[in-house]
Amino acid sequence: MNILLFSGTTEGRTLSEELVRRGHRVTVCVATEYGREEQEQVSGAAVLTGRKTGEEMEALLREHDLCVDATHPYATEVTAALRAAAERTGTRYVRIRRTLGIPGSASPEHARYFSSAEEAAAYLKATDGNVLVTTGTKELPFFAGLAPERLYPRVLPSAENLKTCEELSIPHRNIVAMQGPFSREMNEVLLREKNISFLVTKDGGPAGGFPEKAEAARATGAELLVIAPPEDDGLTLEEFLEEPLC
């Protein structure tokens, strides 16, 4: 079977490895060079790099029997575009839903939830103290209203991300350019070293290191500001791999 996999950086590699192992022809679409580096470690999968337009999605879908959407739970625009393209082409579409939160636990009691990064930034305007922003550079401009020296963005080490930080006048000494995953201990060291009062994050679940961030914030006394996840549906990774089709 020809399978087109739109991949984030967590479930995508696991999926492509397993689908190739089961004998399928797999083409993986990733948005960034980081995603390409991860997927190129999977022997037997073809990798396409770069964000796709709706027309480009349609062209790719027509060449495949199945589209698997394993993009990040917050990448709602990509998911909507893929669903629409699949409807137009008649290609079977499956959404992989990530488990969010902290398994077996309620929301962290020290967390404050917001509907958007813009809302979290508005809250921070009335506060003092350093802010570790771990939501990615797409949301970083929403925090431009804060004093740049307060911001400590943790971003993937790419020229594009560094450029975004520079355009927002964030001091170079504040930029934490690192590739995860990050343990609780590493998060805690960073929070203490940079004297962080607020940790801004998305709820990426265990796959996105959310429990480790929450535990580190609690240990250091930093306030945890969480951008609430959008509604999502579909199959879990485990459910999808149990399907006879795979």
Side-chain angles (χ1 to χ4, degrees):
M1 174 177 287
N2 288 327
I3 298 178
L4 180 65
L5 171 62
F6 274 75
S7 170
T9 55
T10 304
E11 296 88 351
R13 181 174 168 184
T14 299
L15 265 174
S16 59
E17 286 178 337
E18 183 60 21
L19 292 172
V20 168
R21 188 189 69 80
R22 297 184 184 191
H24 298 292
R25 293 180 294 278
V26 181
T27 300
V28 186
C29 290
V30 296
T32 65
E33 287 299 309
Y34 169 53
R36 178 187 60 77
E37 290 174 3
E38 287 290 296
Q39 287 293 341
E40 284 186 342
Q41 298 180 52
V42 180
S43 177
V47 182
L48 302 177
T49 308
R51 293 173 174 82
K52 302 292 184 288
T53 65
E55 291 76 15
E56 291 170 332
M57 289 178 179
E58 282 190 42
L60 286 168
L61 287 168
R62 294 185 193 282
E63 299 173 355
H64 294 81
D65 307 305
L66 170 66
C67 175
V68 180
D69 176 6
T71 57
H72 193 280
Y74 287 76
T76 53
E77 293 180 5
V78 177
T79 290
L82 272 177
R83 288 183 191 273
E87 288 181 3
R88 289 193 295 269
T89 60
T91 308
R92 185 188 172 198
Y93 166 93
V94 177
R95 169 67 180 163
I96 303 299
R97 172 176 52 84
R98 182 185 293 186
T99 300
L100 301 180
I102 302 175
S105 173
S107 299
E109 69 281 357
H110 60 299
R112 188 184 297 269
Y113 282 77
F114 299 90
S115 62
S116 66
E118 186 175 16
E119 186 178 300
Y123 168 77
L124 285 167
K125 285 183 179 179
T127 68
D128 296 310
N130 294 341
V131 183
L132 178 64
V133 183
T134 67
T135 56
T137 53
K138 183 179 179 182
E139 287 78 16
L140 197 54
F142 289 115
F143 298 88
L146 303 177
E149 57 270 17
R150 290 184 64 190
L151 296 176
Y152 288 78
R154 188 165 72 187
V155 299
L156 288 170
S158 72
E160 181 181 1
N161 288 342
L162 293 176
K163 180 181 179 181
T164 298
C165 293
E166 290 175 339
E167 289 173 345
L168 296 173
S169 300
I170 295 171
H172 288 90
R173 64 179 177 275
N174 288 21
I175 302 171
V176 183
M178 300 176 66
Q179 178 177 319
F182 301 100
S183 65
R184 178 192 61 78
E185 291 81 5
M186 183 174 288
N187 284 318
E188 189 173 332
V189 167
L190 181 59
L191 291 172
R192 294 189 190 282
E193 179 70 23
K194 303 300 184 182
N195 192 28
I196 299 297
S197 299
F198 304 92
L199 192 166
V200 185
T201 181
K202 296 175 181 176
D203 178 359
F210 181 65
E212 289 79 6
K213 293 178 188 177
E215 291 165 7
R218 180 169 51 247
T220 62
E223 187 170 357
L224 187 67
L225 308 185
V226 184
I227 312 304
E231 292 293 326
D232 202 359
D233 57 9
L235 302 175
T236 65
L237 178 62
E238 294 75 18
E239 289 170 342
F240 174 70
L241 291 176
E242 287 175 359
E243 288 198 336
L245 177 67
C246 299

